[in-house]
Amino acid sequence: MLVDNAAMFGPVDGFVYEYYGNLDSPDGVVGGADGPLPELNDFHGFRITECRTGRFVAVSDFDETFGKTLLATEFLRHKAQNDQPFTMSDIMKAVHALYGNSPGVRILSLRETEETCACRDFFPGLWPK
């Protein structure tokens, strides 16, 4: 999978936000390679990773406004405005409320097995040992 344009997500340490999509296939199809899991085949979107646990939620078919839209939901807005921590559960509620009924959108909840570059760069030492 290709990741790009990583940034911190929200006002509290521990979450990163980045583009998440398939690599190009060997025959040159942009984004045409198979994903590491069948559910990630032909996947293009964004993901939010919780660096303390490695858990992430990925949502297909959205652009960089995805994160700002999530932060504006009732599930995250108050906490974000008041610099209060939120949980992956809060993020999942926001994702499902906004995109759960959108035709063709895939919402995946997965866990990384190794520290992501974004977590290492933004929150060194936070990844679980």
Side-chain angles (χ1 to χ4, degrees):
M1 299 298 289
L2 173 69
V3 293
D4 196 17
N5 296 325
M8 288 186 280
F9 181 73
V12 180
D13 289 351
F15 291 92
V16 292
Y17 167 76
E18 61 197 335
Y19 169 79
Y20 189 64
N22 289 82
L23 300 170
D24 296 346
S25 68
D27 60 353
V29 176
V30 175
D34 286 342
L37 301 170
E39 295 88 344
L40 289 169
N41 291 349
D42 194 31
F43 190 94
H44 303 279
F46 280 80
R47 75 175 179 176
I48 299 170
T49 303
E50 182 180 30
C51 296
R52 288 177 184 85
T53 66
R55 290 178 56 206
F56 70 90
V57 60
V59 181
S60 68
D61 301 321
F62 282 92
D63 62 17
E64 64 277 353
T65 61
F66 164 74
K68 290 179 182 177
T69 304
L70 281 180
L71 288 173
T73 66
E74 64 183 277
F75 302 100
L76 301 177
R77 181 179 54 246
H78 178 74
K79 289 181 177 183
Q81 289 172 342
N82 292 293
D83 292 331
Q84 296 174 335
F86 42 78
T87 65
M88 183 55 85
S89 178
D90 295 330
I91 293 170
M92 292 299 292
K93 287 176 188 174
V95 165
H96 283 282
L98 284 173
Y99 307 115
N101 294 319
S102 300
V105 171
R106 287 184 279 167
I107 300 170
L108 303 173
S109 180
L110 301 167
R111 183 181 305 268
E112 283 287 359
T113 57
E114 296 180 21
E115 184 175 28
T116 67
C117 294
C119 286
R120 183 190 64 234
D121 291 347
F122 288 105
F123 306 110
L126 195 57
W127 195 262
K129 302 290 182 215

